[in-house]
Amino acid sequence: GNHHLISGYWKVFNNLWKLERVSLSHTQVSGDVENFAVDRTRTWTTSNVKELSLSFSHVHGCIDHLGSNHKLVKLDLASTAVTGEFRQLMRCRELQMVDLSNTSVNGSFNFIKAWAGVKLHKLETLKLSNTKITLGRNRTEFNPVSIITAVREVALEGVFPALKLLDFRGSPLNGNLTDLLKLVGLCRHLHTIEASGCQLTGPFPDLESWKSPLWTSLGKVALQNNNITWVDAMPPNLIVLDLSNNPNVGLTPEVLKQVIEQGVYVDLQNSTLLDEEPARELMDGRHLRMSSYIEMSKPAKGYECHQVLNEKLRVSPDRFLPDVLCQCLPGWEGNGTKCVKCPENFFNAESNSTCKKCPKDSKSPLASTSPDACSCPSGQEIFRRNETLQCGCRHSFALGISGDCLECEELKLQCPQPGMSTWLATPKAGYVRMESNSSKVYLCLSADQCNSQNCSTGFAGPLCVDCAAGYRSVRGSCEACSKEPPNLFFWSIVAAALLSLVGVVAYLFISRSAAAAATAPAPPSRALKWKVLQDLAKAQAPVLLQLCQLWAALAVLSFVGKRSADALSREEGHEKDTEGSNSWISTFWELPYVETLQLSLNAFKDSMALQCSYDGARVRFFGALAAPLLPLLILAACGILELPYPTKGISAALKVLTLLFIGGVSSCANLLTCQYVDSADEPLGEHAFRLHMPFLRCRDDSWQALWVDVVAYSSSFVYGVFIPLLLLHLFTRQHLLMRSCRTVAAVTQLTQPEGQGMAVSLQSLTADGKLSFEESQLRGRLVAACAARLAVSQQGHRVKLRMMKDVVYLEDLGQTSTGSSFADATIEESMVASWIASEEEIQSGLALRCRSISEMLMERRVLDEGQRSERTLTGAKEIFYKYASCRHVWMEVFLKLVSVSLVSSDSMGDFGFQLSVAICLVTAATISLARPYAQPQVNTLHSVCFASLAMASVGFYHHFPWLSRGALLLPFLLAALQLLRPDSAEALSVRLFDELTKVEELKDGKEVCLDVELWQFV
């Protein structure tokens, strides 16, 4: 009936002594349970009530006294206002069902000691959902090892041997799931555990390892809305396992496979797998497979997901296997559920893909899903070229520099497809560009020289007036070269030589003035390291250039000598194969190119094969212009430089002569003419060029003609008169100027034990033993001696210096870098020193080296002191700086005589070969023994160069081409290796000398600290 209409007060039942069953659930009955018990009998020992069902009524009060009713079988007080402690009901031994859900009943479910000796044999259903029951866990009592033993101490079959259903839903158990299961671990008939939202944590344990009856009895476990972390094992009879809304859950591969194979209903919705790999392995289509339809979509987060096709396995795909089941939506990029919106000017039209950039200069909004969302600038449209989207002008139009689309017909351009630009479009037939990537095209002077692909075959240069590489100029036309193009082997040699030459010449234009260098701050370590490398490369370049020049001379010598021998044999009546000599010399395809490094007019005229590697017009005039334009223009600039900057012009001129003296005897260049308009009379403007040298722009016609004449007539005077007189004057003056520094010796004395302190002073070698120097001169020579001592004996150390009146005190502050005594030595020096020299001999060698370096620095000091009085000598000091001593300038004369001897020996027949080998070996030995250069690496390189020339001469004479080529390559390889260790004691002493000269504190007698460091790359 309508139970909710029943109302009244509980006291009406006080006199019903035989009442056994009360069922007033869902009624309006009210009353205090505790008061009712007292009013009725004061005790419940005589009560006959077996079933008390008052759920959803207005009953209230404490249930503590209900425990006295030993006949009570069913107690249903769900959703009432009763309170009390649950353990008081444990006295009701006949209870079969208890439902206290949604009440304020409290208490601890920890019955190990509190309920000792108590057992509810018949209790099958216990519902305590949404109560205040807790686990009441005591860490000492709930030791995981002893829990089952403790339970067995209470009773063999536990407190609830008949329990089938245990419901704690919503009750704040607030404990570990393992502890809860151990409390009911001996319940043999427990089939269902409802514990959702009970604040349980920890794993679902392996009940089999406990030997617990729960392993076989459990059929349903609902643990949703907790924090269960792992499932170790799945009971074999389990039908339902609800783990939904647990933040992170882990399933072993065995458990997951058992779930799938045994059909256990597992709910993992809104739960994230701790380890996705087992589930990923089972997504093979046989155990688990993905649905073809979309189960869920979250546009706000940018992804959509498929579902797992398994009726018994319920998951949230974005948390179960997001990388497998989910994909990013178009307009987003990423993988699975890790999706971000495509930024502005990007789009993505596919799922699970990366965003693609819109065409250049186009724009698109955030999270664009199509290339159509990209908008090009005004007048342009999107098109596809080579599978790439681009913005560009439409057909027959081209994009101009201003960004506007221009009509190609007016610009004389071909625009057969969209997206063309004026600087890349092909000119029409007969039109060419004057420079690459230019929007302007010009009509060629001759229609035969141009086609739709710019210049016709064989032509190149401005308006196609020149010959392309591989073609030579013949009677105004360009014909293909008959010789095979050179391979890449020798190009490396030619490039190295040219780079060395260009590097040194460029140095002449970028070197700073001496005054600026004197006041400039010390360069940083890295810059100083490269400065050391630059100095060595500058010293190597003239040596390598001379090698190439003499190698070419020896090659010609072998041909001339063989030809002379054949002529002599024919006079004696013997026939010789003259074609053999010609074919032999022709095998050296690189010879004409090496000959050009002689920088002479004859070399360029004889090297006609250059027209097959460069354009014809440039080659025709290169022989006439190379010699006068390069050395004489530089010399003229040096002469102008000498007027405002005394000594600087002379210094630069001597450097030029060192490199280009041979090529400086060439003739004048031809008169240059200019082309100002194209064939359609369109002004060329700034592109106007000299007709016979197309790569040169026009300036002033009349001035260029006058300049060429001046160069032609003045060159003979400069090279025939001025240069010999200048060198003669320099060689004479240095002997007079250097006498003062050659009568002084540096003396070093130890002031502290173990060489940590030294005193450096000067001693006169004259008869009276007096030093006749001014204070500044004496100080400069002391600094030179000190720098020499530091460079030789204190490498890698930090030193403190203090200068007194006529002595410098040195104190070693310790080592700053590791290294041997020969860290600055060349390879052969260190080998000789370590193999054949004793320690005493090594120390003697270091002393001699210190003396020679000291003399070198003093000579440099003398040159600096004579800057005003000896203008010419000071201007030429760079030549003297090249040598370890100014007395070694005789090497300049010696090397010129050697060069002349080698070049002139071609008239001596077979004897010329023997003479050339002898000259090269003697020169190599002389340089090796004298070691005249300030840079020790240059001594070795120059000696190896002449030894290589001897080897090359043998190869030329005996027809071993690779021996000759290897001889040419060997010095370049050595030079490259030397650049890895460019520093030396001599170079270090020069740097120390320059640095100490600028230190004002040293001049004032103050202490100065200095790092003596060699700069090496290896």
Side-chain angles (χ1 to χ4, degrees):
N2 296 325
H3 293 175
H4 64 279
L5 299 178
I6 301 175
S7 63
Y9 193 61
W10 182 254
K11 288 185 178 182
V12 300
F13 296 102
N14 285 350
N15 298 320
L16 301 178
W17 294 91
K18 296 182 180 182
L19 184 65
E20 294 183 355
R21 182 174 180 270
V22 178
S23 179
L24 294 175
S25 299
H26 299 277
T27 66
Q28 302 296 321
V29 174
S30 63
D32 191 322
V33 175
E34 182 179 358
N35 292 335
F36 171 79
V38 173
D39 292 341
R40 187 177 181 185
T41 64
R42 297 184 180 275
T43 65
W44 285 80
T45 56
T46 60
S47 174
N48 294 318
V49 176
K50 297 180 180 181
E51 295 184 16
L52 183 59
S53 298
L54 297 173
S55 60
F56 296 96
S57 66
H58 293 180
V59 176
H60 61 276
C62 184
I63 66 170
D64 291 350
H65 292 287
L66 295 179
S68 301
N69 187 352
H70 300 291
K71 296 181 180 182
L72 192 61
V73 175
K74 176 181 179 182
L75 178 62
D76 184 1
L77 296 176
S79 300
T80 63
V82 297
T83 61
E85 191 171 357
F86 168 72
R87 69 173 182 172
Q88 298 299 330
L89 299 178
M90 300 303 293
R91 292 176 294 174
C92 302
R93 304 299 179 85
E94 300 299 323
L95 277 174
Q96 297 180 13
M97 193 279 288
V98 176
D99 188 354
L100 296 175
S101 303
N102 301 307
T103 66
S104 297
V105 173
N106 57 39
S108 172
F109 202 64
N110 180 1
F111 53 78
I112 295 179
K113 290 186 177 180
W115 300 352
V118 177
K119 182 181 298 186
L120 299 182
H121 293 277
K122 300 180 181 181
L123 184 62
E124 297 181 356
T125 301
L126 178 59
K127 296 183 179 182
L128 298 174
S129 62
N130 294 311
T131 63
K132 296 182 180 180
I133 300 297
T134 64
L135 281 181
R137 187 162 74 107
N138 184 295
R139 296 186 181 275
T140 303
E141 296 173 352
F142 282 76
N143 186 287
V145 177
S146 61
I147 184 65
I148 297 299
T149 303
V151 172
R152 286 195 172 114
E153 290 175 356
V154 176
L156 182 61
E157 297 181 350
V159 179
F160 309 118
L163 188 64
K164 297 180 180 179
L165 185 148
L166 180 62
D167 186 357
F168 283 115
R169 288 176 297 173
S171 297
L173 296 182
N174 193 21
N176 195 288
L177 176 61
T178 300
D179 296 336
L180 174 62
L181 293 178
K182 286 179 179 179
L183 291 176
V184 295
L186 296 178
C187 297
R188 297 180 178 276
H189 305 287
L190 184 58
H191 178 272
T192 302
I193 297 178
E194 296 279 355
S196 62
C198 293
Q199 303 177 21
L200 293 174
T201 61
F204 186 93
D206 184 0
L207 299 175
E208 184 181 18
S209 64
W210 294 2
K211 298 181 179 179
S212 171
L214 293 179
W215 175 250
T216 58
S217 66
L218 283 178
K220 177 183 179 181
V221 178
L223 298 172
Q224 61 267 37
N225 296 305
N226 287 293
N227 192 14
I228 306 304
T229 58
W230 196 263
V231 178
D232 288 328
M234 185 75 68
N237 298 322
L238 192 65
I239 300 175
V240 177
L241 177 61
D242 193 343
L243 294 173
S244 60
N245 296 307
N246 283 273
N248 297 284
V249 179
L251 301 178
T252 64
E254 295 78 10
V255 169
L256 188 58
K257 192 172 182 180
Q258 181 182 354
V259 168
I260 298 171
E261 292 179 350
Q262 295 183 4
V264 180
Y265 181 88
V266 177
D267 193 344
L268 293 174
Q269 295 183 91
N270 297 320
S271 297
T272 302
L273 286 180
L274 286 175
D275 185 6
E276 297 181 357
E277 191 59 33
R280 195 186 305 275
E281 293 177 357
L282 294 175
M283 288 292 295
D284 53 6
R286 184 170 62 90
H287 297 88
L288 293 176
R289 57 192 179 92
M290 183 176 63
S291 67
S292 59
Y293 57 87
I294 298 297
E295 172 71 15
M296 60 178 296
S297 179
K298 294 188 177 181
K301 295 185 177 180
Y303 64 86
E304 60 186 10
C305 301
H306 298 264
Q307 184 58 274
V308 176
L309 292 180
N310 191 302
E311 296 179 355
K312 297 298 183 69
L313 180 62
R314 302 300 300 167
V315 300
S316 296
D318 57 338
R319 303 187 66 177
F320 183 69
L321 285 177
D323 293 344
V324 177
L325 300 175
C326 301
Q327 59 189 19
C328 295
L329 295 171
W332 299 67
E333 69 176 348
N335 186 37
T337 58
K338 300 176 181 178
C339 305
V340 295
K341 291 181 179 180
C342 290
E344 293 182 352
N345 305 329
F346 283 79
F347 71 92
N348 186 10
E350 302 175 358
S351 299
N352 256 20
S353 181
T354 58
C355 297
K356 300 174 181 61
K357 187 173 179 59
C358 286
K360 184 180 179 182
D361 300 328
S362 65
K363 298 180 179 180
S364 68
L366 196 68
S368 297
T369 60
S370 170
D372 296 336
C374 303
S375 58
C376 294
S378 177
Q380 301 183 34
E381 58 186 26
I382 292 181
F383 65 96
R384 186 177 296 273
R385 177 182 294 172
N386 297 329
E387 302 302 324
T388 303
L389 294 177
Q390 299 180 9
C391 284
C393 299
R394 64 182 186 273
H395 175 75
S396 300
F397 283 80
L399 182 65
I401 298 178
S402 62
D404 299 329
C405 292
L406 306 176
E407 190 173 355
C408 295
E409 181 63 28
E410 296 180 358
L411 300 176
K412 308 301 180 185
L413 299 174
Q414 301 182 52
C415 305
Q417 56 187 0
M420 302 296 293
S421 59
T422 56
W423 56 88
L424 295 178
T426 303
K428 285 190 171 184
Y431 288 85
V432 293
R433 288 186 173 89
M434 295 294 289
E435 60 182 4
S436 59
N437 297 332
S438 173
S439 300
K440 184 70 174 177
V441 296
Y442 298 91
L443 184 60
C444 292
L445 300 181
S446 173
D448 296 338
Q449 298 174 353
C450 302
N451 56 28
S452 59
Q453 299 297 326
N454 289 337
C455 294
S456 300
T457 303
F459 292 89
L463 298 184
C464 302
V465 298
D466 222 338
C467 290
Y471 290 80
R472 57 186 303 176
S473 178
V474 178
R475 295 181 298 276
S477 181
C478 295
E479 297 181 359
C481 295
S482 58
K483 299 183 65 175
E484 296 182 358
N487 59 40
L488 296 177
F489 172 79
F490 189 71
W491 276 114
S492 59
I493 301 177
V494 175
L498 291 178
L499 286 176
S500 301
L501 176 62
V502 172
V504 175
V505 173
Y507 175 79
L508 303 177
F509 295 93
I510 63 174
S511 59
R512 300 177 179 176
S513 62
T519 59
S525 299
R526 185 172 181 179
L528 181 59
K529 196 172 186 178
W530 286 102
K531 177 64 168 57
V532 173
L533 179 66
Q534 179 186 3
D535 291 341
L536 178 59
K538 186 175 69 173
Q540 290 174 335
V543 175
L544 296 176
L545 178 62
Q546 184 188 55
L547 167 72
C548 295
Q549 294 172 342
L550 294 179
W551 187 88
L554 290 176
V556 175
L557 169 66
S558 67
F559 171 68
V560 174
K562 185 67 176 175
R563 185 179 55 189
S564 300
D566 290 345
L568 180 61
S569 298
R570 284 194 299 270
E571 290 178 0
E572 295 176 354
H574 302 284
E575 291 294 328
K576 293 291 182 179
D577 182 15
T578 57
E579 293 181 1
S581 298
N582 294 331
S583 60
W584 156 245
I585 198 65
S586 63
T587 59
F588 288 92
W589 51 263
E590 64 270 32
L591 180 59
Y593 305 94
V594 181
E595 281 185 297
T596 61
L597 296 179
Q598 294 180 353
L599 302 179
S600 65
L601 179 62
N602 289 334
F604 282 99
K605 286 183 178 179
D606 295 339
S607 302
M608 298 305 294
L610 285 176
Q611 297 184 23
C612 295
S613 298
Y614 305 93
D615 49 278
R618 295 185 69 183
V619 173
R620 289 196 303 269
F621 290 93
F622 185 79
L625 294 179
L629 289 181
L630 182 59
L632 294 184
L633 288 178
I634 297 177
L635 285 175
C638 295
I640 297 174
L641 182 65
E642 179 67 18
L643 297 178
Y645 302 103
T647 72
K648 296 300 296 182
I650 296 176
S651 176
L654 289 175
K655 293 177 183 177
V656 173
L657 290 177
T658 301
L659 300 176
L660 306 177
F661 181 82
I662 297 176
V665 293
S666 62
S667 61
C668 300
N670 294 329
L671 185 64
L672 301 177
T673 58
C674 290
Q675 183 71 32
Y676 293 101
V677 296
D678 66 357
S679 186
D681 292 335
E682 181 73 20
L684 299 179
E686 63 178 3
H687 301 298
F689 60 92
R690 298 174 187 174
L691 189 58
H692 297 289
M693 297 198 69
F695 293 105
L696 298 178
R697 303 292 174 85
C698 295
R699 294 182 181 176
D700 187 348
D701 251 349
S702 58
W703 169 250
Q704 290 298 325
L706 178 61
W707 176 250
V708 171
D709 291 338
V710 170
V711 170
Y713 288 105
S714 61
S715 60
S716 58
F717 172 79
V718 173
Y719 289 101
V721 179
F722 179 76
I723 294 176
L725 291 178
L726 176 62
L727 293 177
L728 180 62
H729 176 72
L730 294 177
F731 296 159
T732 304
R733 285 297 304 164
Q734 66 89 17
H735 287 289
L736 300 176
L737 187 64
M738 297 302 168
R739 288 181 298 178
S740 60
C741 65
R742 294 168 184 166
T743 59
V744 177
V747 179
T748 302
Q749 297 179 343
L750 298 179
T751 60
Q752 296 182 17
E754 300 180 359
Q756 295 182 353
M758 294 179 290
V760 179
S761 59
L762 299 179
Q763 180 177 348
S764 177
L765 300 180
T766 59
D768 56 3
K770 295 182 179 180
L771 297 173
S772 57
F773 298 115
E774 298 179 0
E775 182 179 355
S776 61
Q777 294 176 336
L778 179 62
R779 185 165 55 245
R781 286 159 176 76
L782 275 174
V783 170
C786 180
R789 172 55 60 183
L790 292 176
V792 172
S793 61
Q794 299 296 323
Q795 295 176 13
H797 288 251
R798 185 174 180 84
V799 181
K800 181 169 66 176
L801 300 87
R802 183 165 60 90
M803 178 183 288
M804 302 302 290
K805 181 178 180 181
D806 56 355
V807 64
V808 177
Y809 293 96
L810 308 178
E811 181 180 353
D812 190 355
L813 299 181
Q815 195 169 5
T816 61
S817 63
T818 58
S820 65
S821 301
F822 296 91
D824 64 299
T826 58
I827 296 176
E828 72 281 357
E829 289 175 337
S830 60
M831 291 173 60
V832 171
S834 60
W835 289 352
I836 66 175
S838 64
E839 182 65 26
E840 182 178 354
E841 292 171 338
I842 292 176
Q843 295 301 323
S844 299
L846 292 176
L848 292 176
R849 190 174 190 182
C850 180
R851 177 180 177 182
S852 63
I853 294 176
S854 176
E855 181 178 345
M856 176 186 72
L857 296 178
M858 289 185 183
E859 289 178 348
R860 296 192 177 204
R861 182 64 180 178
V862 171
L863 289 175
D864 293 336
E865 292 172 351
Q867 184 169 357
R868 294 185 178 181
S869 59
E870 295 289 342
R871 173 174 176 174
T872 303
L873 196 61
T874 304
K877 63 183 179 181
E878 291 297 328
I879 286 185
F880 300 120
Y881 285 176
K882 184 171 66 174
Y883 293 97
S885 174
C886 292
R887 289 175 294 191
H888 290 152
V889 294
W890 59 266
M891 184 59 63
E892 291 286 325
V893 180
F894 175 75
L895 291 177
K896 284 181 172 53
L897 292 176
V898 168
S899 300
V900 172
S901 300
L902 287 175
V903 173
S904 61
S905 62
D906 59 353
S907 60
M908 301 180 183
D910 287 344
F911 178 71
F913 157 70
Q914 302 171 0
L915 179 62
S916 64
V917 172
I919 292 174
C920 291
L921 293 178
V922 169
T923 304
T926 301
I927 297 175
S928 179
L929 293 175
R931 308 194 67 79
Y933 296 106
Q935 293 270 34
Q937 297 95 327
V938 179
N939 292 318
T940 302
L941 178 63
H942 213 169
S943 179
V944 170
C945 284
F946 277 95
S948 298
L949 288 173
M951 183 172 62
S953 184
V954 174
F956 287 133
Y957 188 80
H958 292 287
H959 292 189
F960 298 146
W962 288 107
L963 179 62
S964 300
R965 290 185 173 114
L968 181 62
L969 182 61
L970 178 61
F972 284 91
L973 296 177
L974 176 61
L977 292 176
Q978 289 178 342
L979 291 176
L980 298 177
R981 301 184 66 183
D983 211 353
S984 63
E986 288 76 1
L988 175 60
S989 67
V990 173
R991 295 200 306 275
L992 294 175
F993 175 72
D994 293 339
E995 183 176 354
L996 292 174
T997 304
K998 301 173 185 177
V999 178
E1000 296 296 334
E1001 289 82 358
L1002 188 64
K1003 300 177 183 179
D1004 298 336
K1006 299 179 181 180
E1007 293 181 348
V1008 176
C1009 293
L1010 187 68
D1011 290 330
V1012 185
E1013 292 288 344
L1014 281 174
W1015 299 105
Q1016 310 289 356
F1017 289 92
V1018 294

